[in-house]
Amino acid sequence: MRAALVTILILIAGITGILAQTGPGTLNIYYIDTEGGQSTLFVGPSGESLLVDTGNAGERDLGRIVETAKAAGVKQIDHMWTTHYHGDHVGSLLAFAKQIPIMHFYDHGKPHPNDRIVSAAFLTSYEELSQGKRTIVKPGDKVKMTGLDITAVASANQFIRSNLSGGGKQNTACTGVPKMDEATYADPDNGESAGFVLAYGRFRTVDLGDLTWNGELDLMCPVNRIGTVDLYLTSHHGLAKSNSPALVHALQPRVAVMNNGTRKGGEPNSFRVLYDSPGLEDLWQLHWAYNAGLENSPATFVANVEDNATIAGVLVPPQAGAPRGGGGFGGAPHSPAYLIKVSVQQDGTFTVTNTRNNFSKTYKPRP
């Protein structure tokens, strides 16, 4: 038991060291493991912070977000961006605000009136917490963060109609991509997601929350107003009801990060769209996805993996009458939990690190 405790402490110390490593003029991005939710921390070159979403309720995600912020040297959240009001994105927000001060809040305004899972109790508390320091963003709005250019491109089912740098061309990736029937979705606040494009020097990334397929087409077709990005955070945890070719193939990311859980997100159709995207070099995942099986990225690029027996149980169909291997949806949390860190230089060079194995890969700027 004591040896195991020492091992865990060494792992935590090693991860903390990785998170703290930085240099002058560096943008650091931390994709925190909320096991199928979202929480992403940006720490700009001046030390100013932007936190996008706060994962699920409970001590698990709250502790991971707080510890990441502390290890990154963040004493307050200067900008708190909420993509939408589902529990896997706002679950720890109220509790987090009791531990680390939040200076300003950004969101898409009122939730979709037909959404059946948004918490009315949360909304009441959130309005009280954010009173006097809240911005309801509209497409084209900017977040004023030193050294960065952050532009809202989607909010409340409205989409940017002016061209960002590099945008404005006809989007040929829209051809042959039909809209989906989203009328039966019980969770339409996904489509209201507030999303942005962030640029630091020559580096560009995009976070669209859980924007669904039809919203992606409304944003990107027939004209690609955004242009290309270097890093794409998969929409909606890698679910196939998002991540349309019209979006992904037009953005032409060099790197994608998937904020999936073991059984949430990471669907095969999304993997196919990503792997077919022109110019994609690597897909990094927060979890090995049960849904994808052999389509998962090599383990080197996956922050949280299953043991060999569990993976074998998922990949190999059991014999008749034999118990199935592997855990189920919402199974035991991974502990310790590992995250994906990205360190960006102003010239467009960025390095992605898997904190599970300390594997890093550096991507030079596009020509």
Side-chain angles (χ1 to χ4, degrees), residues 62-326:
L62 174 63
R64 294 174 182 181
I65 300 166
V66 169
E67 287 306 311
T68 300
K70 289 180 177 178
V74 170
K75 294 182 171 56
Q76 67 179 34
I77 298 300
D78 299 296
H79 310 278
M80 178 70 237
W81 183 287
T82 295
T83 60
H84 62 298
Y85 304 113
H86 288 160
D88 57 332
H89 291 256
V90 299
S92 291
L93 177 53
L94 302 179
F96 178 84
K98 294 178 181 178
Q99 297 198 33
I100 296 181
I102 298 174
M103 309 313 292
H104 200 82
F105 299 80
Y106 305 80
D107 59 71
H108 71 66
K110 293 182 179 179
H112 193 288
N114 296 332
D115 196 289
R116 287 174 273 175
I117 61 175
V118 168
S119 166
F122 167 82
L123 291 174
T124 299
S125 298
Y126 175 66
E127 289 180 359
E128 294 174 356
L129 175 66
S130 62
Q131 187 173 10
K133 47 182 182 177
R134 176 186 182 189
T135 297
I136 297 174
V137 295
K138 298 179 178 61
D141 286 353
K142 300 276 191 178
V143 175
K144 295 180 180 179
M145 189 167 169
T146 304
L148 306 180
D149 186 339
I150 305 171
T151 307
V153 296
S155 183
N157 201 32
Q158 300 295 315
F159 306 98
I160 196 164
R161 291 296 176 250
S162 57
N163 298 329
L164 301 185
S165 176
K169 295 180 180 179
Q170 290 290 310
N171 185 359
T172 58
C174 296
T175 304
V177 181
K179 287 204 168 185
M180 289 187 175
D181 180 7
E182 298 183 356
T184 59
Y185 289 1
D187 49 3
D189 206 57
N190 287 321
E192 306 287 300
S193 288
F196 61 82
V197 171
L198 180 150
Y200 176 50
R202 293 177 60 188
F203 173 86
R204 303 177 88 226
T205 187
V206 61
D207 185 336
L208 299 174
D210 283 3
L211 188 65
T212 52
W213 185 283
N214 290 352
E216 294 173 352
L217 268 60
D218 288 340
L219 171 63
M220 300 297 292
C221 299
V223 176
N224 175 3
R225 304 287 183 186
I226 294 176
T228 62
V229 300
D230 298 286
L231 189 153
Y232 167 62
L233 176 66
T234 58
S235 298
H236 215 166
H237 322 291
L239 287 168
K241 62 175 61 174
S242 302
N243 302 288
S244 69
L247 172 73
V248 179
H249 293 183
L251 292 176
Q252 296 182 27
R254 299 177 60 196
V255 169
V257 173
M258 184 178 288
N259 56 339
N260 62 308
T262 54
R263 287 194 180 274
K264 181 176 179 183
E267 293 183 337
N269 283 344
S270 296
F271 276 84
R272 281 192 282 272
V273 170
L274 288 163
Y275 290 149
D276 288 343
S277 182
L280 185 77
E281 297 179 39
D282 295 305
L283 168 60
W284 299 69
Q285 298 169 228
L286 278 176
H287 278 271
W288 192 86
Y290 286 38
N291 294 320
L294 292 173
E295 299 304 315
N296 277 276
S297 293
T300 311
F301 294 87
V302 183
N304 299 282
V305 297
E306 303 294 340
D307 60 80
N308 291 338
T310 299
I311 292 175
V314 173
L315 296 179
V316 180
Q319 296 179 353
R324 288 187 173 272

